[in-house]
Each structure stands twice: as C-alpha cells, then as structure tokens.
Amino acid sequence: MSILYDEGQQAIATESRRVLDARVAKDRLLKLLEQVGEHDATFWDTAVEQGWTALAVPEEHGGLGLGLVELGLVAQASGAATAGAPFLTPGYGVTHALVAAGNADLAAKYLPQIASGDVRGAVAFAEGTDILPATPATKFADGKLTGSKPAVPGAIKAELALVWASGANGPVLAIAELAGAERKPVSSFDNSRLYADLTFAGTPATILAEGAAALDLAREVLARMAVVTAHEQVGGSEALLHIARDYAVMRKAFGQPIGAFQSVKHRIAEMYGLVEIARANCIHAAAVAGTDEFLVAAADARLTATEAYDTCARDCVQIHGGIGVTWEQGLHLHMRRARSLAIEQGNLLFWEDLLVEKLTGEAA
C-alpha cells in the first residue's frame, strides 16, 4: 500500500522543517554533548507550542486526533535538525498504550497532560540488549514495581513510564509515575537523549495488560515507536545527503569539483538510493498502522532507515575529508544520533528476528 501526502500533511512537513531550521542551533547542541541530564529546552518548548505533543492524542483528551503519518513527518523534520530532546517518540508510545488498553480512567488522567506537554513519557522495555525478555527481571506485585531498567531514553526528565515487567501470571505492561523511582543519569556520546538507569523499589504502578495481551500490546507500541524513529533516521539521512552533495559541488581538487570524481559521486548516489528506499518503507509502514501487515512493515522501515542513517553519517564525513571530523563542523552530531537511534527501539538483530518470525511463522 502506498500513499501520497495530502495538502494538510505537506503543510505539517513544510512548517515543521521551517520552524526547526529557525530555532535549532548547532552551537547549543554541541554544548549539550558535554552536559549530562540536560536537553534542548528551546526544541521542547517549540514542540509543545506547535502542538506536536498532542498530534496523536485523541480529541476527547485534548489532542489533535491525528496519526502515525503526521507524527512521522514531524519526526523527519526533527531528525534533520538532530533535535535535542527525546520525548516525542516515547510520548507517542505511552499514548498508544493508554488508548489501546482501554482504561478510561488512566486515559482521562494522563492523556490531557501528555497533549499539553506537562507530562513526558518514557518506555522501559529493555534489560541490557534483551528487548521484551520473556521473563523480565523487573517484577510487579501488589500494585508495585521492583527491579531496574538500564539506560532508558528520556528517563532523566520523564514523569511517566511504560514498563515491561513480570507478574504473577506472566508478563505485564504497567504504567508508573517516576516520582517514586530512583534515576541514575548515564553519560553517553549523545547526552541530549537523557539516558538514565531506573530503579523501582516498591514504586506504585497500574497494569495495562498482562499475559499474551501484554506481549501483543508491547510489540505494537514498540513497532509504532520504531516507525517514528525510522522517520527521524530518514530526516537525518536526507540532511546528510544534501550536506554531502552541496560540499561536493563546491569543494574543488585538481581544478574541478570533487563531485566529478567517481569515488565521490558514487557514494552520493548510494546515499540517495538508501534514503529513498527507507523513505518509501516509512511511508508504507505509517500508512498500514493498525493492520495485520504492520509489524512486518515496521521492521522493514526500521532496518532500512538504520542502514541509511549509518551509511550517510559515515560517507558524509568521508566526503568532507579532514574537516568532517572537526568539532565545529558538527557532522558528528548526526554520527552520534545515528548510533543512538540504531539501538533505542531494539537493535537490528531484534528486528531481523521479528521479521523472520513474521514471514516464516516461526520464532527465529
């Protein structure tokens, strides 16, 4: 299934990019790399002001009632700008879980606050490199969580977390306010992602789903977040493609633009192909959200977008030569973000295994 963006969607894409081009500053992002626990407040204030936090929240809860296609377009613009706050993607994951779980009281309590930007979400599904483990080390009993989740994106500043845990009757998907959890900031090569180790010691929580229903909902949430992340990766890839192209036609060697040399022009052509394949898979995945083919489409988008961003980050630096690795040039912002996004919603092995499982009907 393919789609063409309508006028409203095209306007969202254009306006998102225009606003971020005006408000995101490279110097501010470079400073954030050396600070643990801080994010780009200007970007986040812009996201709230523009209504991006409310995009996928149902209208009855103060949102705009739009979907994954529209949020993907905003994520694409954010990726191009290497946006300095991680909350849009996990906020969407928490929103979808609250809506899909059908708990009207929790939805009424939290969704208006997510829409207004007053509450920021985090999603804690991983334990080390194990994504959605069959028997999570984090436990849920008597309405409380115990255990820990390492390196959760956005957890330093988030107020609410969606947690994968073990219950009395199998796995559970629980929602918990983080005021009752301990947070240990993690210093990383991409500090504006606000990674933190979360430790729960009798933290109050509420079950959204358990057993097989919890696994189905958790996979759906993770897939939807992966599609948002894939859009962000496409945005970063496309920005790098344009930076490399512009430099190749401006920089001269031996009396001609370096873009005239096969070793450069072929790299740029490969970058273009990877970006367009990833973009097509992102559009398709967003368009089929909620259907039986969504998990396969999400895995496709995730895999191809990760390859595109990694390749474009590497090759753009190579095309620039020595200046490409300098701090001031800032290409390392994309290099760092490419590596961060490659693992945040599950690494490539997880998505390859999921794809094989879905295509063959057997666990890989």
Side-chain angles (χ1 to χ4, degrees), residues 170-352:
V172 302
L173 196 57
I175 194 90
E177 295 185 11
L178 292 179
E182 179 186 346
R183 317 177 204 213
K184 181 181 179 182
V186 175
S187 179
S188 75
F189 53 74
D190 194 2
N191 276 328
S192 65
R193 302 308 286 174
L194 300 177
Y195 298 114
D197 296 335
L198 291 180
T199 300
F200 304 103
T203 304
T206 303
I207 290 180
L208 294 181
E210 55 186 327
L215 179 59
D216 289 343
L217 180 54
R219 275 189 168 185
E220 175 77 10
V221 168
L222 189 62
R224 285 175 177 265
M225 290 170 57
V227 173
V228 177
T229 297
H231 277 86
E232 193 172 349
Q233 291 170 306
V234 167
S237 303
E238 186 176 36
L240 289 165
L241 168 64
H242 292 165
I243 292 169
R245 176 205 62 194
D246 293 346
Y247 186 76
V249 298
M250 177 273 293
R251 181 74 167 89
K252 291 186 177 181
F254 305 104
Q256 60 181 322
I258 63 172
F261 299 109
Q262 286 187 352
S263 61
V264 174
K265 69 170 67 173
H266 288 180
R267 280 181 187 255
I268 295 175
E270 181 184 1
M271 291 166 69
Y272 174 79
L274 291 173
V275 169
E276 293 308 315
I277 290 170
R279 188 200 311 279
N281 283 334
C282 285
I283 293 172
H284 175 67
V288 300
T291 70
D292 291 340
E293 59 181 302
F294 176 60
L295 283 181
V296 171
D300 286 341
R302 173 66 170 156
L303 292 169
T304 54
T306 300
E307 181 185 7
Y309 203 8
D310 276 345
T311 302
C312 288
R314 180 196 67 217
D315 286 358
C316 188
V317 169
Q318 290 290 324
I319 288 169
H320 278 72
I323 196 175
V325 297
T326 62
W327 179 267
E328 294 78 9
Q329 184 69 19
L331 292 179
H332 58 94
L333 288 166
H334 280 290
M335 183 74 77
R336 295 164 188 266
R337 186 58 48 81
R339 285 289 78 216
S340 297
L341 296 184
I343 59 175
E344 279 190 10
Q345 316 307 335
N347 58 34
L348 296 191
L349 293 176
F350 172 84
W351 289 103
E352 288 168 354

